[in-house]
Amino acid sequence: MEEDGANHRPSPSYSYGGGGFLSGLCAAALRRKPLSAHAAHAASGEGLVRQLGVFDLVLLGIGASIGAGIFVITGTVARDAGPGVTISFVLAGAACVLNALCYAELASRFPAVVGGAYLYTYAAFNELTAFLVFTQLMLDYHIGAASIARSLASYFVQFLELIPFLKGHIPTWIGHGEEFFGGVVSVNILAPVLLIILTAILCYGVKESSAVNTFMTTLKIVIVIVVVCAGVFEVDVSNWSPFMPNGFKSVVTGATVVFFAYVGFDAVANSAEEAKTPQRDLPIGILGSLLACVILYVAVCLVITGMVPYTLLGEDAPLAEAFAAKGLKFVTVLISIGAVAGLTTTLLVGLYVQSRLYLGLGRDGLLPSTFSKIHPTRHTPLHSQIWVGCVAAVLAGLFNVHELSHILSVGTLTGYSVVSACVITLRWNDKATSRHHSLGSMSIWQEGVLCLIIIALCGFVAGLCYRFSYATAFMVIAFLIAVVAGFALQFRQVYADPPGFSCPGVPIIPMVSVFFNMLLFAQLHEEAWYRFVILSLLAVGVYAGYGQYHAVVPPSSDHSAVAYHGVPSEAP
């Protein structure tokens, strides 16, 4: 199916001759990628093997989303929000559903190849924006993988210390980290070892790594269910009153914190080239895994706030302490096992997603072609997988990356916002829209993109007003400006129905998603904002020096068109 997309979108010249460096850079940066080149890899035997069913995809999303945090963050947020933390998780889950609906549509629309948010941005906007999204996501993934590996090593050592003769006899440099040179270096031996093992599993084959994820995720879910069932009998309903002791604002603030507990469902979109029936199964995997996570989080919240008054919840291990206080110490052992399983699956899926993103960049020429190599018998992106494993191992083995946690989540919110915007732009029917008069020299397509930028900026401003308790009037003004831009998107654009799964309420749901994501962006640490700007500038420099010259551009394709390519309904 060919989309009508050329009439009102920028059509840059692709010749670099005579225009100088800047004109060549601008022309390259505005390129958009038709999917035929990607689909050729999947259809030629150079692609990955389709071995993941819908059950594997759902567990992939759950494995990426629920780590050890389900046993910790539920209690720590409850210290401020009280039993209303349950509402916090429901609100955050509802916000994530908006993003998940956008991911589900694009995963169903472009099911043939890997790439996720990067691929969708390349098809909907341009090459440079896609590269910027990749760099922001990848820094999150690299630091996140190293941080999770160190946490896993620490939990693993704590688990070993349950054995009496090992307690207190394991050196700190093995699993907890020992600092040298004034804290510049923090040596952790076990974290790189665990990363090497998981990387080897991922290199061996997607079927084997999926089996490991299925086992560990199932174990984790069973433990959470057992913990909830054990806690139900210890619930005192009087602990739920008052339900929101610090008011609704504390519940909303809690929602902005626990939003990131759901991050991971987007990992399913990066398995497009390995799903058996991606157009049907990817939306189910994305939405099904998110809904399962909402149910598990809400159940844990109700139990922990019902067992112990929220004022008595601990900071480091609130759930384990609550069960220990009730004399159920065997449950704390289960929680430790569940934490190890949760961190293992989160790390495994994170490394998996990274390698697939590098594979996509290598195929497109924006990174060296070695990242695009796929092992002929194992059918895994061997070089990409080894690379991401090595980066994570070095970071986890030598640095205390936990101190960088405050600059994370930038890539996640950037990816979510851009994907939501992609749903809107890829729905635009430019031929039908041509009956609308453009504003001056600005095309209808450019006008629509400008409206999306205004909505994003308004969301950020509203978030700043909320964070720093500015006058409510400023927040209302930002909201009203976003509404006006939304009306322009609603009535000055014509939207076509996509193939496959369709996100309901377009453009309203994606617009709300963009606004809320940017509101959350404003809640991040100030250093996270600096990181966003600095990394973006560095990414532009890398693109200008390498990417623009090596990008693979099909010579005979229409650079403005976005094509939809079907995939087999069964695995080969």
Side-chain angles (χ1 to χ4, degrees), residues 487-564:
F487 271 107
L489 283 176
Q490 175 71 56
F491 297 108
R492 285 188 57 79
Q493 304 287 342
V494 178
Y495 296 87
D497 292 329
F501 178 86
S502 175
C503 173
V506 174
I508 296 174
I509 283 181
M511 286 191 300
V512 173
S513 179
V514 170
F515 185 90
F516 185 75
N517 290 335
M518 294 307 297
L519 186 147
L520 287 177
F521 194 98
Q523 312 308 310
L524 298 179
H525 196 283
E526 291 179 13
E527 290 184 13
W529 304 343
Y530 303 149
R531 162 243 153 129
F532 176 81
V533 175
I534 294 172
L535 183 60
S536 295
L537 293 175
L538 291 174
V540 170
V542 172
Y543 177 79
Y546 182 88
Q548 66 163 323
Y549 301 114
H550 295 84
V552 177
V553 182
S556 60
S557 65
D558 173 10
H559 296 283
S560 296
V562 178
Y564 167 74

Side-chain angles (χ1 to χ4, degrees), residues 5-364:
N7 294 358
H8 295 275
R9 304 184 183 189
S11 299
S13 169
Y14 293 91
S15 173
Y16 295 167
F21 174 78
L22 287 179
S23 61
L25 175 61
C26 291
L30 293 177
R31 289 190 293 239
R32 294 191 302 120
K33 187 75 169 182
L35 294 184
S36 55
H38 295 279
H41 285 285
S44 65
E46 298 178 36
L48 305 171
V49 177
R50 299 191 178 277
Q51 295 181 329
L52 301 179
V54 64
F55 185 69
D56 299 314
L57 296 174
V58 170
L59 291 181
L60 186 74
I62 297 175
S65 300
I66 296 184
I70 192 170
F71 304 114
V72 179
I73 194 172
T74 47
T76 54
V77 176
R79 288 170 58 86
D80 296 321
V85 67
T86 305
I87 306 299
S88 297
F89 271 95
V90 171
L91 291 175
C96 280
V97 166
L98 301 182
N99 290 293
L101 288 170
C102 296
Y103 264 95
E105 174 172 320
L106 296 183
S108 174
R109 188 170 189 163
F110 303 141
V113 285
V114 297
Y118 155 77
L119 172 66
Y120 309 148
T121 308
Y122 209 160
F125 290 103
N126 54 61
E127 192 169 280
L128 179 58
T129 304
F131 189 70
L132 291 174
V133 168
F134 166 79
T135 54
Q136 296 292 346
L137 282 172
M138 200 47 59
L139 184 61
D140 271 14
Y141 277 125
H142 282 318
I143 297 177
S147 180
I148 293 170
R150 288 182 76 101
S151 295
L152 178 59
S154 180
Y155 266 103
F156 193 77
V157 168
Q158 290 177 23
F159 186 71
L160 290 177
E161 288 181 338
L162 293 175
I163 304 173
F165 70 86
L166 290 177
K167 187 173 180 62
H169 293 88
I170 300 178
T172 55
W173 51 266
I174 289 184
H176 295 295
E178 185 170 340
E179 295 185 349
F180 298 92
F181 308 109
V184 175
V185 174
S186 177
V187 174
N188 187 315
I189 299 300
L190 185 57
V193 172
L194 295 173
L195 282 163
I196 290 171
I197 293 172
L198 293 179
T199 299
I201 294 172
L202 288 164
C203 288
Y204 191 74
V206 68
K207 186 175 181 180
E208 291 75 14
S209 56
S210 176
V212 172
N213 179 69
T214 297
F215 172 75
M216 299 295 281
T217 302
T218 303
L219 175 63
K220 173 174 59 179
I221 294 173
V222 170
I223 289 176
V224 172
I225 293 173
V226 170
V227 167
V228 169
C229 291
V232 164
F233 296 101
E234 302 294 334
V235 167
D236 181 356
V237 294
S238 64
N239 290 330
W240 290 336
S241 180
F243 197 72
M244 292 184 286
N246 297 318
F248 187 69
K249 184 175 181 179
S250 66
V251 172
V252 174
T253 302
T256 64
V257 175
V258 303
F259 176 87
F260 301 103
Y262 291 110
V263 169
F265 62 85
D266 51 308
V268 179
N270 289 280
S271 62
E273 202 171 313
E274 290 159 296
K276 292 179 180 178
T277 53
Q279 192 169 15
R280 182 201 69 184
D281 292 350
L282 289 177
I284 296 174
I286 292 170
L287 295 171
S289 61
L290 177 58
L291 293 176
C293 291
V294 172
I295 293 171
L296 292 174
Y297 275 121
V298 169
V300 171
C301 287
L302 289 173
V303 166
I304 191 173
T305 55
M307 288 178 62
V308 180
Y310 75 95
T311 54
L312 300 180
L313 290 172
E315 291 241 1
D316 298 325
L319 194 61
E321 291 174 11
F323 277 99
K326 295 291 184 178
L328 300 173
K329 292 191 176 181
F330 78 93
V331 179
T332 63
V333 177
L334 288 179
I335 291 174
S336 297
I337 297 173
V340 170
L343 288 169
T344 301
T345 58
T346 303
L347 184 56
L348 183 74
V349 177
L351 294 171
Y352 167 86
V353 170
Q354 290 178 61
S355 67
R356 271 57 183 176
L357 284 170
Y358 272 104
L359 172 63
L361 271 287
R363 284 175 173 175
D364 292 336

